[in-house]
Amino acid sequence: MERITWNQFFMAQCHLLALRSTCTRLAVGATIVRDKRIIAGGYNGSIAGDEHCIDHGCYVVDNHCVRTVHAEMNALLQCSKYGTPTQNADLYVTHFPCLPCTKSIIQAGIKNVYYATDYKNNTYALELLQKAGVTVEHVPFDERKIDFLSDEKLHLYMTMLDEMRQAGVAPEKIADLEKQVTEILGKQLQK
């Protein structure tokens, strides 16, 4: 098994947190790290005790859901709530932060922002981060790395392809399906 880097490890945490999101428009997760230790995590969702988008739909104003608190803000607020300093910490997030989150990230003293996916990257946010001396790094993340059922899926695909061979399906069709399985799972099929 390949050992993942620290950046990939913390990005994986963000993607796991995003699975807790209650937003139906975009699931986002964020992790705050200091000295290679996670100090907080957050995902986008409603405030504690309020209705969730997954239950009642998004509350959209000016093309933005106002029901949710963004993942980055939830992580920063968790630090605030429990008295955990964020000065010189790193923030990992599944998607590039919006402008309001960027301002909060800077004000909280975050020194490095790592994000997996470009998402409406605001040029003013980038300018503010640069002026504040916050390092921004794109860390591509392959979500298949946290697919805990990938081996079971591979076994199922191999069984299905073998049964198709035995049933006389054209070799070209099977080769095409094998290629698709390899692309989906990111693993070479072993015959």
Side-chain angles (χ1 to χ4, degrees), residues 73-97:
M73 286 302 301
N74 268 327
L76 290 169
L77 290 168
Q78 187 179 74
C79 287
S80 175
K81 184 176 184 177
Y82 295 106
T84 306
T86 55
Q87 188 68 34
N88 296 318
D90 301 328
L91 183 132
Y92 290 80
V93 62
T94 56
H95 296 76
F96 188 85

Side-chain angles (χ1 to χ4, degrees), residues 95-106:
H95 296 76
F96 188 85
C98 69
L99 181 58
C101 284
T102 295
K103 292 176 184 179
S104 296
I105 289 165
I106 293 167

